[in-house]
Amino acid sequence: MRAVREDCVWSQQITHRDLVPYLIEESHEVIDAVEGGTRDDLREELGDLLWQVLFHAAIAAQDPDDPFDIDDVASTLTEKMVRRHPHVFAGEVANTPEEVLVHWNAAKAAEKRTRTSVLDGVPRGMPALALAQKLVGRAAGAAVLAPASPAPAPASEAELGDALLALVTVARTQGWDAERALRERLRMLEDEVRAVEAAS
């Protein structure tokens, strides 16, 4: 990566912002490889995603004001994972996945003391459906309930997929933008959560 950054004219001009579309694309290619590819596909796509991390770290290493490199990235990650796994590294006990989550959430809360809302830290650039799932979970933590499931509720992930596809079909038939509709509804949910937080 260092050689490419130093000797490739195109790579020399690239910024963190320039890399974002590639990072998104490579992430989706990893997902495709996990969901329907071969082991060789997965190995290749994980390598491409790792290249994005290395590229960002190489750019960061050249920052004149606040440089850091891949070793700093790895060190920061290691420290975080040790803090978030006290049942592995610090003598705490967790015998179930739920107990692990308790330790994880406690460590994360201690790290993020400056956050003032359960919504802080949710990346708004996520696809609308993934964002919706994240925000509904955070809203429940603030005792704000999202709209109830239509009856009858899907009984499996396959049925859920059918229901979601049916809703997208309705949107297309009506000339509506399903992504925009969900994002606009999520903004309303965020407003509801922030209003509850402000009142408490």
Side-chain angles (χ1 to χ4, degrees):
M1 181 69 249
R2 189 175 298 114
V4 168
R5 183 72 173 163
E6 291 173 359
D7 298 333
C8 172
V9 178
W10 181 83
S11 297
Q12 292 168 357
Q13 307 303 314
I14 294 296
T15 67
H16 291 296
R17 185 177 293 275
D18 295 332
L19 278 181
V20 168
Y22 302 104
L23 179 61
I24 293 169
E25 180 181 342
E26 296 300 350
S27 298
H28 285 288
E29 289 178 4
V30 170
I31 293 167
D32 284 348
V34 168
E35 292 179 347
T38 65
R39 299 286 292 170
D40 287 342
D41 294 335
L42 181 58
R43 182 185 307 115
E44 178 182 353
E45 298 306 338
L46 285 171
D48 290 347
L49 186 58
L50 177 58
W51 183 257
Q52 294 299 306
V53 175
L54 294 170
F55 208 153
H56 277 283
I59 294 168
Q62 294 175 328
D63 187 284
D65 301 318
D66 187 15
F68 61 83
D69 62 16
I70 191 65
D71 291 329
D72 298 316
V73 172
S75 176
T76 300
L77 175 61
T78 300
E79 291 168 7
K80 179 193 288 186
M81 290 303 107
V82 167
R83 279 193 313 275
R84 292 191 183 180
H85 291 84
H87 55 290
V88 175
F89 299 105
E92 296 290 340
V93 175
N95 295 314
T96 66
E98 293 77 19
E99 290 174 354
V100 170
L101 196 57
V102 168
H103 290 305
W104 180 277
N105 288 335
K108 189 171 180 179
E111 294 166 12
K112 310 293 183 182
R113 286 194 179 111
T114 59
R115 292 186 175 172
T116 58
S117 170
V118 296
L119 302 177
D120 290 349
V122 176
R124 294 311 183 276
M126 294 171 71
L129 201 52
L131 180 61
Q133 188 152 344
K134 179 71 81 173
L135 290 179
V136 165
R138 295 287 180 95
V144 175
L145 300 180
S149 172
S156 67
E157 270 195 14
E159 287 185 16
L160 175 62
D162 289 343
L164 291 170
L165 186 57
L167 287 172
V168 170
T169 302
V170 169
R172 182 182 176 279
T173 301
Q174 295 294 331
W176 300 332
D177 184 319
E179 178 88 3
R180 182 178 59 232
L182 182 54
R183 283 195 176 278
E184 289 177 355
R185 182 58 183 91
L186 290 175
R187 278 192 284 279
M188 293 170 57
L189 178 62
E190 288 185 61
D191 290 343
E192 293 168 32
V193 169
R194 293 189 190 281
V196 166
E197 289 176 331
S200 61

mmCIF file of all heavy atoms in Angstrom, residues 52-73:
data_model
loop_
_atom_site.group_PDB
_atom_site.id
_atom_site.type_symbol
_atom_site.label_atom_id
_atom_site.label_comp_id
_atom_site.label_asym_id
_atom_site.label_seq_id
_atom_site.Cartn_x
_atom_site.Cartn_y
_atom_site.Cartn_z
ATOM 1 N N GLN A 52 -9.162 -1.380 1.254
ATOM 2 C CA GLN A 52 -9.766 -0.081 1.548
ATOM 3 C C GLN A 52 -9.301 0.445 2.911
ATOM 4 O O GLN A 52 -8.988 1.623 3.061
ATOM 5 C CB GLN A 52 -11.297 -0.179 1.516
ATOM 6 C CG GLN A 52 -11.871 -0.478 0.153
ATOM 7 C CD GLN A 52 -11.538 0.603 -0.842
ATOM 8 O OE1 GLN A 52 -11.807 1.779 -0.617
ATOM 9 N NE2 GLN A 52 -10.920 0.215 -1.952
ATOM 10 N N VAL A 53 -9.235 -0.433 3.906
ATOM 11 C CA VAL A 53 -8.761 -0.031 5.234
ATOM 12 C C VAL A 53 -7.303 0.415 5.150
ATOM 13 O O VAL A 53 -6.923 1.453 5.708
ATOM 14 C CB VAL A 53 -8.928 -1.187 6.246
ATOM 15 C CG1 VAL A 53 -8.315 -0.822 7.593
ATOM 16 C CG2 VAL A 53 -10.401 -1.556 6.403
ATOM 17 N N LEU A 54 -6.507 -0.357 4.445
ATOM 18 C CA LEU A 54 -5.090 -0.006 4.294
ATOM 19 C C LEU A 54 -4.935 1.322 3.557
ATOM 20 O O LEU A 54 -4.068 2.127 3.904
ATOM 21 C CB LEU A 54 -4.344 -1.117 3.547
ATOM 22 C CG LEU A 54 -4.247 -2.445 4.285
ATOM 23 C CD1 LEU A 54 -3.712 -3.526 3.347
ATOM 24 C CD2 LEU A 54 -3.389 -2.324 5.527
ATOM 25 N N PHE A 55 -5.763 1.547 2.551
ATOM 26 C CA PHE A 55 -5.700 2.781 1.768
ATOM 27 C C PHE A 55 -6.039 3.982 2.655
ATOM 28 O O PHE A 55 -5.328 4.995 2.663
ATOM 29 C CB PHE A 55 -6.664 2.683 0.585
ATOM 30 C CG PHE A 55 -6.285 3.496 -0.620
ATOM 31 C CD1 PHE A 55 -6.703 3.087 -1.879
ATOM 32 C CD2 PHE A 55 -5.546 4.665 -0.530
ATOM 33 C CE1 PHE A 55 -6.376 3.817 -3.016
ATOM 34 C CE2 PHE A 55 -5.220 5.408 -1.657
ATOM 35 C CZ PHE A 55 -5.641 4.981 -2.905
ATOM 36 N N HIS A 56 -7.112 3.868 3.419
ATOM 37 C CA HIS A 56 -7.479 4.963 4.327
ATOM 38 C C HIS A 56 -6.358 5.231 5.335
ATOM 39 O O HIS A 56 -6.043 6.390 5.638
ATOM 40 C CB HIS A 56 -8.781 4.638 5.068
ATOM 41 C CG HIS A 56 -10.008 4.943 4.275
ATOM 42 N ND1 HIS A 56 -10.492 6.224 4.114
ATOM 43 C CD2 HIS A 56 -10.860 4.132 3.590
ATOM 44 C CE1 HIS A 56 -11.593 6.190 3.372
ATOM 45 N NE2 HIS A 56 -11.828 4.937 3.046
ATOM 46 N N ALA A 57 -5.759 4.180 5.859
ATOM 47 C CA ALA A 57 -4.677 4.359 6.832
ATOM 48 C C ALA A 57 -3.461 5.015 6.184
ATOM 49 O O ALA A 57 -2.791 5.849 6.812
ATOM 50 C CB ALA A 57 -4.296 3.015 7.452
ATOM 51 N N ALA A 58 -3.177 4.672 4.930
ATOM 52 C CA ALA A 58 -2.047 5.290 4.231
ATOM 53 C C ALA A 58 -2.295 6.778 4.009
ATOM 54 O O ALA A 58 -1.375 7.602 4.141
ATOM 55 C CB ALA A 58 -1.799 4.574 2.905
ATOM 56 N N ILE A 59 -3.526 7.126 3.672
ATOM 57 C CA ILE A 59 -3.878 8.548 3.509
ATOM 58 C C ILE A 59 -3.731 9.263 4.857
ATOM 59 O O ILE A 59 -3.155 10.346 4.944
ATOM 60 C CB ILE A 59 -5.308 8.691 2.952
ATOM 61 C CG1 ILE A 59 -5.387 8.147 1.523
ATOM 62 C CG2 ILE A 59 -5.765 10.146 2.997
ATOM 63 C CD1 ILE A 59 -6.806 7.976 1.006
ATOM 64 N N ALA A 60 -4.248 8.632 5.908
ATOM 65 C CA ALA A 60 -4.194 9.240 7.243
ATOM 66 C C ALA A 60 -2.753 9.433 7.703
ATOM 67 O O ALA A 60 -2.449 10.415 8.395
ATOM 68 C CB ALA A 60 -4.956 8.369 8.237
ATOM 69 N N ALA A 61 -1.865 8.541 7.320
ATOM 70 C CA ALA A 61 -0.467 8.641 7.747
ATOM 71 C C ALA A 61 0.213 9.877 7.172
ATOM 72 O O ALA A 61 1.211 10.352 7.718
ATOM 73 C CB ALA A 61 0.296 7.381 7.336
ATOM 74 N N GLN A 62 -0.337 10.415 6.084
ATOM 75 C CA GLN A 62 0.255 11.589 5.449
ATOM 76 C C GLN A 62 -0.387 12.893 5.901
ATOM 77 O O GLN A 62 -0.016 13.960 5.418
ATOM 78 C CB GLN A 62 0.153 11.456 3.920
ATOM 79 C CG GLN A 62 0.989 10.304 3.376
ATOM 80 C CD GLN A 62 0.800 10.099 1.880
ATOM 81 O OE1 GLN A 62 -0.277 10.343 1.345
ATOM 82 N NE2 GLN A 62 1.857 9.656 1.221
ATOM 83 N N ASP A 63 -1.319 12.825 6.823
ATOM 84 C CA ASP A 63 -1.962 14.047 7.312
ATOM 85 C C ASP A 63 -0.937 14.889 8.070
ATOM 86 O O ASP A 63 -0.280 14.380 8.986
ATOM 87 C CB ASP A 63 -3.125 13.683 8.234
ATOM 88 C CG ASP A 63 -3.929 14.891 8.646
ATOM 89 O OD1 ASP A 63 -3.445 15.649 9.514
ATOM 90 O OD2 ASP A 63 -5.035 15.077 8.117
ATOM 91 N N PRO A 64 -0.786 16.158 7.710
ATOM 92 C CA PRO A 64 0.239 16.974 8.361
ATOM 93 C C PRO A 64 -0.094 17.351 9.811
ATOM 94 O O PRO A 64 0.815 17.631 10.604
ATOM 95 C CB PRO A 64 0.307 18.221 7.480
ATOM 96 C CG PRO A 64 -1.033 18.298 6.817
ATOM 97 C CD PRO A 64 -1.498 16.883 6.644
ATOM 98 N N ASP A 65 -1.377 17.356 10.168
ATOM 99 C CA ASP A 65 -1.776 17.822 11.496
ATOM 100 C C ASP A 65 -1.997 16.702 12.503
ATOM 101 O O ASP A 65 -1.683 16.851 13.685
ATOM 102 C CB ASP A 65 -3.055 18.662 11.388
ATOM 103 C CG ASP A 65 -2.860 19.867 10.481
ATOM 104 O OD1 ASP A 65 -1.795 20.508 10.579
ATOM 105 O OD2 ASP A 65 -3.771 20.143 9.669
ATOM 106 N N ASP A 66 -2.582 15.596 12.056
ATOM 107 C CA ASP A 66 -2.932 14.521 12.984
ATOM 108 C C ASP A 66 -2.746 13.172 12.298
ATOM 109 O O ASP A 66 -3.712 12.465 12.027
ATOM 110 C CB ASP A 66 -4.378 14.706 13.452
ATOM 111 C CG ASP A 66 -4.761 13.738 14.545
ATOM 112 O OD1 ASP A 66 -3.857 13.121 15.153
ATOM 113 O OD2 ASP A 66 -5.975 13.573 14.795
ATOM 114 N N PRO A 67 -1.509 12.784 12.010
ATOM 115 C CA PRO A 67 -1.292 11.532 11.287
ATOM 116 C C PRO A 67 -1.487 10.304 12.182
ATOM 117 O O PRO A 67 -1.244 10.351 13.384
ATOM 118 C CB PRO A 67 0.166 11.647 10.844
ATOM 119 C CG PRO A 67 0.807 12.511 11.866
ATOM 120 C CD PRO A 67 -0.262 13.490 12.291
ATOM 121 N N PHE A 68 -1.968 9.230 11.561
ATOM 122 C CA PHE A 68 -1.955 7.914 12.199
ATOM 123 C C PHE A 68 -1.819 6.886 11.086
ATOM 124 O O PHE A 68 -2.152 7.162 9.933
ATOM 125 C CB PHE A 68 -3.208 7.670 13.046
ATOM 126 C CG PHE A 68 -4.506 7.708 12.294
ATOM 127 C CD1 PHE A 68 -4.979 6.596 11.609
ATOM 128 C CD2 PHE A 68 -5.284 8.862 12.298
ATOM 129 C CE1 PHE A 68 -6.187 6.632 10.931
ATOM 130 C CE2 PHE A 68 -6.496 8.908 11.623
ATOM 131 C CZ PHE A 68 -6.949 7.791 10.929
ATOM 132 N N ASP A 69 -1.316 5.704 11.437
ATOM 133 C CA ASP A 69 -1.109 4.682 10.416
ATOM 134 C C ASP A 69 -1.856 3.402 10.781
ATOM 135 O O ASP A 69 -2.588 3.359 11.772
ATOM 136 C CB ASP A 69 0.388 4.429 10.187
ATOM 137 C CG ASP A 69 1.096 3.908 11.427
ATOM 138 O OD1 ASP A 69 0.413 3.441 12.385
ATOM 139 O OD2 ASP A 69 2.347 3.945 11.450
ATOM 140 N N ILE A 70 -1.645 2.351 9.991
ATOM 141 C CA ILE A 70 -2.381 1.106 10.193
ATOM 142 C C ILE A 70 -2.066 0.484 11.549
ATOM 143 O O ILE A 70 -2.917 -0.136 12.168
ATOM 144 C CB ILE A 70 -2.122 0.108 9.037
ATOM 145 C CG1 ILE A 70 -3.100 -1.075 9.092
ATOM 146 C CG2 ILE A 70 -0.677 -0.368 9.034
ATOM 147 C CD1 ILE A 70 -4.552 -0.700 8.872
ATOM 148 N N ASP A 71 -0.833 0.682 12.054
ATOM 149 C CA ASP A 71 -0.508 0.165 13.382
ATOM 150 C C ASP A 71 -1.325 0.871 14.456
ATOM 151 O O ASP A 71 -1.765 0.244 15.431
ATOM 152 C CB ASP A 71 0.995 0.314 13.665
ATOM 153 C CG ASP A 71 1.837 -0.602 12.791
ATOM 154 O OD1 ASP A 71 1.350 -1.693 12.427
ATOM 155 O OD2 ASP A 71 2.972 -0.222 12.461
ATOM 156 N N ASP A 72 -1.534 2.175 14.295
ATOM 157 C CA ASP A 72 -2.366 2.922 15.245
ATOM 158 C C ASP A 72 -3.817 2.443 15.183
ATOM 159 O O ASP A 72 -4.487 2.327 16.219
ATOM 160 C CB ASP A 72 -2.299 4.424 14.944
ATOM 161 C CG ASP A 72 -0.895 4.984 15.102
ATOM 162 O OD1 ASP A 72 -0.220 4.641 16.090
ATOM 163 O OD2 ASP A 72 -0.477 5.757 14.214
ATOM 164 N N VAL A 73 -4.292 2.183 13.973
ATOM 165 C CA VAL A 73 -5.655 1.675 13.804
ATOM 166 C C VAL A 73 -5.796 0.335 14.524
ATOM 167 O O VAL A 73 -6.746 0.113 15.284
ATOM 168 C CB VAL A 73 -6.011 1.530 12.308
ATOM 169 C CG1 VAL A 73 -7.336 0.816 12.126
ATOM 170 C CG2 VAL A 73 -6.036 2.897 11.632
#
